[in-house]
Amino acid sequence: MAQDEVKLTHLNHKGEANMVDVTDKAVTSRTAIAEGFVRMNAETLQLIAQKGHKKGDVLAVARIAGIQGAKKCADLIPLCHPLTLSKVQIDFEILAELSSVRIEAMCKLSGQTGVEMEALTAVSVAALTLFDMCKAVDPGMQIDGIRVLHKQGGKSGVWEAESASR
């Protein structure tokens, strides 16, 4: 294999799907932060910001859903390891100038594998919940920009996304 080639760790030597064996990896503190955006009409954003939506506090429900999503990541993504998360935090930022809600999820644990998928799942589920609760008033909402901003832990150390908005 050339040095430039990337080896996919979820495939075995036969090219079959394979759960990575982390048995011999060191237990280290691991953190991942992800973000995503839900773009919507200004009126919908105002309803959310002022907690005026008839379904109640949309962000509170989306926060709980995001936390639950992180905890259920291994049930949703077949080759993810079930993890014992020590912390999941979901934060929202109202971006009036972009008519958007920015969602940030932080997942943390001490373990043998990273928590990027849990952070991404938390953002995704929080965004889907926001969409679900507001679709009757704004069916044209868009979910986008879901990405990992930061990860640390394990032998790869710290990684930061280019131009992370944090």
Side-chain angles (χ1 to χ4, degrees):
M1 179 182 303
Q3 194 171 24
D4 292 15
E5 287 184 54
V6 175
K7 184 178 181 214
L8 298 175
T9 59
H10 286 84
L11 299 176
N12 67 15
H13 66 282
K14 296 179 186 176
E16 301 165 335
N18 178 55
M19 189 173 191
V20 175
D21 184 354
V22 298
T23 304
D24 296 327
K25 290 177 82 174
V27 173
T28 62
S29 177
R30 297 167 185 261
T31 304
I33 299 170
E35 75 174 350
F37 299 84
V38 182
R39 301 184 196 289
M40 61 195 68
N41 292 329
E43 297 80 16
T44 308
L45 185 65
Q46 188 174 10
L47 279 175
I48 292 170
Q50 296 176 350
K51 296 181 173 80
H53 196 289
K54 68 179 181 178
K55 290 187 178 181
D57 189 343
V58 173
L59 297 181
V61 175
R63 177 175 285 112
I64 292 167
I67 292 167
Q68 190 67 24
K71 291 165 45 176
K72 293 291 190 178
C73 183
D75 293 336
L76 300 169
I77 301 174
L79 300 178
C80 280
H81 293 85
L83 302 179
T84 305
L85 297 168
S86 58
K87 176 72 176 170
V88 178
Q89 180 174 321
I90 310 288
D91 292 308
F92 300 99
E93 181 181 1
I94 303 292
L95 302 172
E97 69 282 0
L98 300 174
S99 196
S100 299
V101 175
R102 179 178 172 271
I103 304 164
E104 183 176 286
M106 185 275 299
C107 294
K108 189 173 182 179
L109 61 68
S110 289
Q112 294 168 292
T113 189
V115 291
E116 300 91 344
M117 295 310 300
E118 288 71 16
L120 289 165
T121 301
V123 167
S124 299
V125 172
L128 289 167
T129 301
L130 249 168
F131 189 100
D132 181 51
M133 293 188 73
C134 297
K135 69 183 183 271
V137 296
D138 191 354
M141 291 176 289
Q142 294 180 354
I143 297 170
D144 59 25
I146 297 173
R147 66 180 182 146
V148 175
L149 294 176
H150 169 89
K151 69 176 207 141
Q152 69 182 47
K155 69 179 182 180
S156 61
V158 176
W159 178 88
E160 293 277 341
E162 289 184 31
S163 68
S165 62
R166 299 181 312 111

